[in-house]
Amino acid sequence: FFFFSTAQALLAPTVFPYRLCLLMPRASKSPARSRSPASDKPLAMRRTPRKAAPPARLGDGDNWGSSPASKWAPPPEPTPTKPAERGKALFDAEDSTAKNKKKAKAGGVLQWYRSRREAKPWVYGLLEGAAFAAAGELVATCIIKQQSADPMRLLFFAGWGAVVAFCVAPWLKLLSSLTLSRPYRLLDSMGKAVLNQLTMTPLLTLVFVAAWEVMLKKTPVPELATRGVGPISEPFTDRYKRTAVFWLTADFVNLLLVPNNYRFLVALAMGAIWAVLSSHMTT
């Protein structure tokens, strides 16, 4: 106790002023308190008077409601659809989506084939000619004659279609560039068709008859060369008459109505029809 009393007596003069400093208020550093009384004015004053107007009521004078509120009625509830109708709507939506996907896929395939054909027109032209001629032979043999397909005949017509495509593509391009009668397009197309029957058609007919004799009838080439044109004169004349009648009409329509970019494809399609007739007439 003696020691505690002595320490308190010694420390009291130094601790007591510190306690007084803690209890005394400090001077404020706020800008609002540091302003002089002369500057105590409002920062902004309203210059426009307030308009004393009653609150606007919805539907009163704003053309929102054309009838009083007492006559207002809730909107009619939507008629629920039957399950069969909902199922039909879903089926129609799925069907249209599937059709759109098929169209997009078909368009992509056609676009791919067109780009490939533009890159290699000769190769794809030969393949198209062979495919059209072979298809005509299959239709004539299997559907019209109702017989089994002969591989040799099928191969012959496929090769013949490739040869025709190889010859017709540049010739048709040359015919399209010619102008026989400028003011009359009808006469121009007819003149080109007649020119084709007098030049390219008899040449291709002669090659077809000779190839038919050698490849399918097994006529030896020396014997055919010895006999000359005489043995094939009658088949040639008969076939040329039919060929000229068909291709005169086909070439006239193609040159008159079809644009230049599609004339070769139309000629191949006509060739497929002629392959059907040719296979049916040739024995």
Side-chain angles (χ1 to χ4, degrees), residues 19 32 34 38 49 53 73-74 105 111 139 145 167 173 232 241 245:
R19 289 181 178 179
S34 62
K105 187 175 181 181
Q111 187 68 24
V139 170
K145 296 181 180 179
C167 298
K173 187 176 181 181
I232 60 172
K241 290 179 181 178
V245 171

Side-chain angles (χ1 to χ4, degrees), residues 33-77:
R33 292 183 178 273
S34 62
R35 288 185 306 177
S36 61
S39 63
D40 291 342
K41 294 181 179 180
L43 299 179
M45 298 179 64
R46 187 179 183 89
R47 298 179 182 274
T48 57
R50 296 181 180 273
K51 293 182 180 180
R57 185 175 181 181
L58 184 63
D60 196 9
D62 56 0
N63 201 19
W64 184 79
S66 58
S67 60
S70 60
K71 296 184 179 180
W72 292 357
E77 297 182 358

Side-chain angles (χ1 to χ4, degrees), residues 205-229:
T205 304
L206 182 62
V207 174
F208 177 85
V209 174
W212 185 270
E213 290 284 339
V214 173
M215 295 183 64
L216 294 182
K217 290 192 174 181
K218 306 300 180 182
T219 303
V221 177
E223 181 182 351
L224 186 63
T226 303
R227 286 187 286 181
V229 187

Side-chain angles (χ1 to χ4, degrees), residues 133-233:
E137 161 63 17
L138 288 176
V139 170
T141 304
C142 301
I143 298 179
I144 298 178
K145 296 181 180 179
Q146 295 184 355
Q147 299 175 359
S148 59
D150 187 0
M152 288 301 299
R153 286 175 63 100
L154 186 63
L155 182 62
F156 174 82
F157 275 94
W160 175 249
V163 171
V164 171
F166 179 80
C167 298
V168 167
W171 175 248
L172 191 59
K173 187 176 181 181
L174 178 61
L175 278 181
S176 300
S177 63
L178 293 178
T179 303
L180 301 180
S181 178
R182 187 176 299 275
Y184 302 103
R185 187 179 177 185
L186 189 68
L187 295 178
D188 182 72
S189 302
M190 179 58 70
K192 292 177 182 179
V194 173
L195 179 62
N196 189 26
Q197 307 315 310
L198 296 177
T199 54
M200 183 60 67
T201 299
L203 178 61
L204 291 178
T205 304
L206 182 62
V207 174
F208 177 85
V209 174
W212 185 270
E213 290 284 339
V214 173
M215 295 183 64
L216 294 182
K217 290 192 174 181
K218 306 300 180 182
T219 303
V221 177
E223 181 182 351
L224 186 63
T226 303
R227 286 187 286 181
V229 187
I232 60 172
S233 60

